[in-house]
Structures are given as C-alpha cells and as structure tokens.
C-alpha cells in the first residue's frame, strides 16, 4: 500500500491524499460504508459504486469468522471473490465486538475468550489467530487486535488495558511479518491507538504505534460514551504524534459534524454504521439538516428528498413516498434511505477534499457545521 499526501489546508490540519492498494486507489478523506457481514445492509454493489460513489468498504472479522466461516472464504478465494466487490476492503479485527460482548467474554494475556452471539459456542481470539483469520478473509487493510475500553473507564483500568493492547500489537506484528497474503495481493496492517480519554495514555499509545512504522495507523476507543469535545481533544493529541506521511483512520465515527471536526484535525479515513442504521429507522442526513421521515409533516410533501442531492434517489423520490415506504416497512424504503445517507456522507468527505485542495476548507467547514447539525423535524 502507498499513501501520497497531496494537499494540506493552510488554516488547519485537514489533508487530502490518495491511498493506493492492489484493488484500487482511494482518495482521502474518505468514508467507508460498513459491510459487517460481507454486505452493506439493503444495498448491492452496483448501487454502492455508481450511486453512493463508495471507494472502499469495511468488513468485520468477528462476524465473518462466525458466518460464513473461514473455510468457506478460503474456498471462495477470499472475501473479494466471495461477495463480488472488486474494490479495496478493510477489516476491523473484532476487538470492538468483543468489547460489546462484555457480559459474554473473558480477557486474558493469551487473548479474548468469548461465546458466539449466534449459538453460544465458545471461541478464542488471540492476536495470532486474528492475524490468521484476516489473512484468510483477504482484506487489503487489516487491523491489529486490541481491547476497546469504554469511554468512562477509570484511569487504572485504561492504563492496564492499554498495556495489554500494546503487548497484543507486538504479537500481531510478529505474526503478520511471519505470514503472507493468500490470494496474490498485498495486505497492510494498521495498529490502533487506545488510551481512553487520558492525555498521557493517548500520547504513550501514539508514540508506541508511530514507532512500529506501519503503513497506516488507526485511532480507536472513541465515540464509545465520552463527550464529543473530549473525543476531539484526544484526536488532536494523537495526530500531533502519528506520522504525517501515513493515513490516519478514526474508527467508528460518526455524525456528519464529527467527520468535519476530525478532518480539520488531520483524520483521513472513517467508518460508521450510522448512515445505514439510522436510515433504516427513518432518519435522513441532508445538506440542510436532519429529517425524521416518519413525521406526519412529510405525508403530503411531494418535493424531492433533496433537490440537489448526492444520489439519483434524492431527486427521483419524494419525501411523501419515502415516508409511505418507511411507515409500511417496505424494503424499498430501506434501500432509498440507505442510498441517500451513504451518498450524502461520501459527498461530504469529497466536498471536504475539494475545499482542502482549493485552500478554503476551514471557511467551508464553518458554513457547513450549523447546516448538518440542524434538526429540520
């Protein structure tokens, strides 16, 4: 993988670059639609490429390991051949899923022992095992195995957790360097900066990660319960340390406002389930604010979802029609809302890139912030 840093905004730390993988190039900043189980919910890949303009999607190691299973993925020739997506893929290591199974898992030095949420069967994720699984899945970018601490963790727990994550990282790197990709193309491993909301822990974690000289780096353990301002503070601290010539990936974040704030602070890559999950529940993100399409006020509003929207669905379908589909639980409603929200997120980061290149990102961002946070209904 190569990363070319092409422009930096003169008034902020916002950056525009390009990540080049064996499955194609990715222009940054970029938002990655979440395809947890090998598919982005309610959308096919033609829609993702042609209408959403997605350049890379995300899969999840935990879920793909459980279903369809590593044997099936290896027989298929990896996730790309199994699901038909021919662009870049990133896989999350499963650390966040293990974190979310707090009542059903046990952490120890060897790794994380957990029970499947599907059938209760017992499994063990060690750093080595997670590297092997991600080799079998075959994503272009894979993540180190870590413990994701909750945003309200106390200092001593966060410190102990970070130490475990750092030891696991060393084991991930060793296993990764001892093995090769299985399908004839290169994979890149990103370490993850943890440390909760504590400045000294984040600094220590970022310095340790930077010392590994990986091809890219991730920032984890944010947007997990801490205040937004604390999240932005941690991003600033970490990005002062992480190398500027490597892409920076903020994991699991977030709202359109979160993306703009993080781009200003030097983040290049994002993923979040919010656009698709919220879309399926009737919440639309638009250039002028947030719409709850279930509200009665849209029942006889025959205007487009968004007159100058980012996708064909915005001008083709009316708010009244989408409300009808949503209220009646028609599958088409899920498709339209998900297409719209993802297309808006991709439009937003591509507009940010455009303004970084022209040198007026900060002014543009200030004009956009009140708009994307406005609640229309």
């Amino acid at each position: 993988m190569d990363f070319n840093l092409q422009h930096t905004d003169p008034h902020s730390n916002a950056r525009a670059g390009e990540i080049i993988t064996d499955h194609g190039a990715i222009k940054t900043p970029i938002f990655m639609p979440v395809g947890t189980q090998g598919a982005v919910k309610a959308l096919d890949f033609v829609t993702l490429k042609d209408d959403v303009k997605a350049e890379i999607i995300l899969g999840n190691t935990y879920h793909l390991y459980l279903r369809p299973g590593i044997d099936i993925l290896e027989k298929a020739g990896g996730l790309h051949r199994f699901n038909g997506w021919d662009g870049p893929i990133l896989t999350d290591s499963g650390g966040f899923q293990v974190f979310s199974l707090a009542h059903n898992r046990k952490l120890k030095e060897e790794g994380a022992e957990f029970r499947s949420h599907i059938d209760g069967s017992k499994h063990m994720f060690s750093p080595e095992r997670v590297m092997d699984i991600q080799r079998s899945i075959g994503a272009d970018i894979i993540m180190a195995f870590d413990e994701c601490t909750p945003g309200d963790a106390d200092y001593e727990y966060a410190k102990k957790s970070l130490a475990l994550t750092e030891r696991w990282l060393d084991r991930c790197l060793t296993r990764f360097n001892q093995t090769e990709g299985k399908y004839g193309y290169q994979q890149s491993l990103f370490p993850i900066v943890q440390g909760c909301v504590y400045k000294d822990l984040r600094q220590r974690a970022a310095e340790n990660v930077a010392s590994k000289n990986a091809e890219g780096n991730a920032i984890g353990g944010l947007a997990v319960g801490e205040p937004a301002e604390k999240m932005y503070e941690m991003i600033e601290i970490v990005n002062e340390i992480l190398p500027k010539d490597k892409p920076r990936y903020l994991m699991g974040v977030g709202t359109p406002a979160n993306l703009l704030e993080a781009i200003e602070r030097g983040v290049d890559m994002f993923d979040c389930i919010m656009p698709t999950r919220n879309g399926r529940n009737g919440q639309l993100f638009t250039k002028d604010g947030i719409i709850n399409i279930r509200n009665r006020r849209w029942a006889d509003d025959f205007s487009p979802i968004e007159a100058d929207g980012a996708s064909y669905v915005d001008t083709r379908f009316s708010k009244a029609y989408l409300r009808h589909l949503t209220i009646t639980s028609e599958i088409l409603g899920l498709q339209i809302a998900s297409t719209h929200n993802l297309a808006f997120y991709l439009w937003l980061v591509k507009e940010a890139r455009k303004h970084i290149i022209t040198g007026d990102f900060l002014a543009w961002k200030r004009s956009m912030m009140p708009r994307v946070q406005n609640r229309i209904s």
Side-chain angles (χ1 to χ4, degrees):
M1 189 194 85
D2 292 319
F3 177 63
N4 302 315
L5 182 58
Q6 298 167 328
H7 297 274
T8 301
D9 179 66
H11 307 293
S12 72
N13 290 319
R15 301 133 52 90
E18 185 177 47
I19 299 169
I20 301 172
T21 75
D22 287 347
H23 281 99
I26 307 153
K27 295 188 183 302
T28 63
I30 191 65
F31 181 84
M32 301 179 284
V34 176
T36 300
Q37 301 185 90
V40 177
K41 282 184 169 45
L43 299 183
D44 62 74
F45 291 148
V46 173
T47 301
L48 277 171
K49 281 205 167 181
D50 293 350
D51 301 318
V52 171
K53 311 297 186 191
E55 298 180 18
I56 175 173
I57 63 171
L58 181 144
N60 182 262
T61 296
Y62 167 87
H63 288 283
L64 292 169
Y65 161 78
L66 292 176
R67 293 186 301 197
I70 299 310
D71 288 346
I72 296 295
L73 290 171
E74 287 190 347
K75 287 177 182 177
L79 182 57
H80 289 90
R81 291 188 177 177
F82 183 65
N83 71 2
W85 174 261
D86 61 3
I89 297 177
L90 180 149
T91 43
D92 182 0
S93 70
F96 180 80
Q97 282 63 41
V98 171
F99 153 75
S100 65
L101 293 170
H103 62 288
N104 218 12
R105 53 91 166 150
K106 184 182 298 182
L107 294 181
K108 45 190 177 182
E109 191 66 35
E110 180 185 353
E113 186 179 272
F114 62 92
R115 291 191 176 276
S116 164
H117 71 285
I118 300 166
D119 59 10
S121 56
K122 188 181 290 187
H123 304 269
M124 165 64 79
F125 270 8
S126 67
E128 294 80 7
R129 180 66 175 139
V130 168
M131 292 298 97
D132 292 346
I133 293 169
Q134 290 187 90
R135 286 295 200 190
S136 294
I137 294 171
D140 300 87
I141 300 172
I142 70 177
M143 307 307 296
F145 190 53
D146 63 338
E147 184 193 0
C148 179
T149 52
D152 59 356
D154 64 47
Y155 183 85
E156 287 306 315
Y157 182 89
K159 184 178 180 180
K160 181 179 177 182
S161 172
L162 176 58
L164 179 64
T165 288
E166 291 178 334
R167 293 193 297 274
W168 283 357
L169 172 58
D170 288 339
R171 290 165 56 189
C172 284
L173 287 164
T174 298
R175 186 57 153 244
F176 181 78
N177 291 329
Q178 290 172 343
T179 57
E180 295 183 359
K182 297 187 174 185
Y183 309 114
Y185 54 85
Q186 295 298 310
Q187 294 179 286
S188 299
L189 172 63
F190 283 22
I192 303 173
V193 176
Q194 288 289 350
C196 198
V197 294
Y198 302 104
K199 179 178 179 179
D200 63 319
L201 296 184
R202 285 284 175 180
Q203 288 174 326
R204 164 185 149 184
E207 288 167 358
N208 180 61
V209 162
S211 74
K212 306 303 180 184
N213 197 32
E215 292 182 282
N217 301 296
I219 306 169
L222 295 174
V224 288
E226 80 286 353
E229 289 307 316
K230 183 59 71 172
M231 174 174 68
Y232 302 145
E233 179 189 350
M234 295 302 107
I235 294 170
E236 289 177 5
I237 290 168
V238 168
N239 280 349
E240 282 294 315
I241 299 168
L242 291 181
K244 291 180 170 54
D245 61 344
K246 305 291 178 63
R248 301 160 176 166
Y249 164 34
L250 179 59
M251 306 179 73
V253 179
T255 67
N258 291 156
L259 266 62
L260 294 178
E261 293 286 1
I263 289 171
E264 180 185 344
R265 291 162 171 82
V267 172
D268 307 297
M269 305 169 68
F270 302 88
D271 80 283
C272 189
I273 62 171
M274 184 173 286
T276 46
R277 181 193 62 192
N278 291 25
R280 295 195 303 274
N281 290 311
Q283 187 178 75
L284 305 180
F285 299 98
T286 77
K287 297 171 187 175
D288 292 308
I290 302 167
I291 293 174
N292 181 354
I293 203 66
R294 290 180 171 272
N295 283 356
R296 177 66 182 81
R297 67 176 288 185
W298 309 116
D300 58 357
D301 187 328
F302 304 110
S303 65
I305 297 170
E306 196 163 15
D308 60 345
S311 170
Y312 83 101
V313 301
D314 298 329
T315 53
R316 184 174 178 182
F317 301 107
S318 70
K319 297 182 184 76
Y321 183 54
L322 180 54
R323 179 183 185 274
H324 161 70
L325 296 176
T326 303
I327 293 295
T328 56
S329 300
E330 284 287 345
I331 292 173
L332 180 58
L334 309 182
Q335 295 173 330
I336 292 172
S338 297
T339 299
H340 164 81
N341 278 352
L342 282 176
F344 171 74
Y345 268 60
L346 268 295
W347 172 87
L348 188 67
V349 295
K350 291 175 190 294
E351 283 293 299
R353 174 184 170 85
K354 184 189 304 180
H355 288 280
I356 292 166
I357 292 171
T358 57
D360 64 347
F361 167 79
L362 200 55
W364 172 81
K365 180 244 180 182
R366 287 170 178 161
S367 72
M368 287 300 300
M369 285 294 288
R371 293 174 62 184
V372 298
Q373 295 179 95
N374 176 41
R375 290 195 172 268
I376 300 172
S377 63

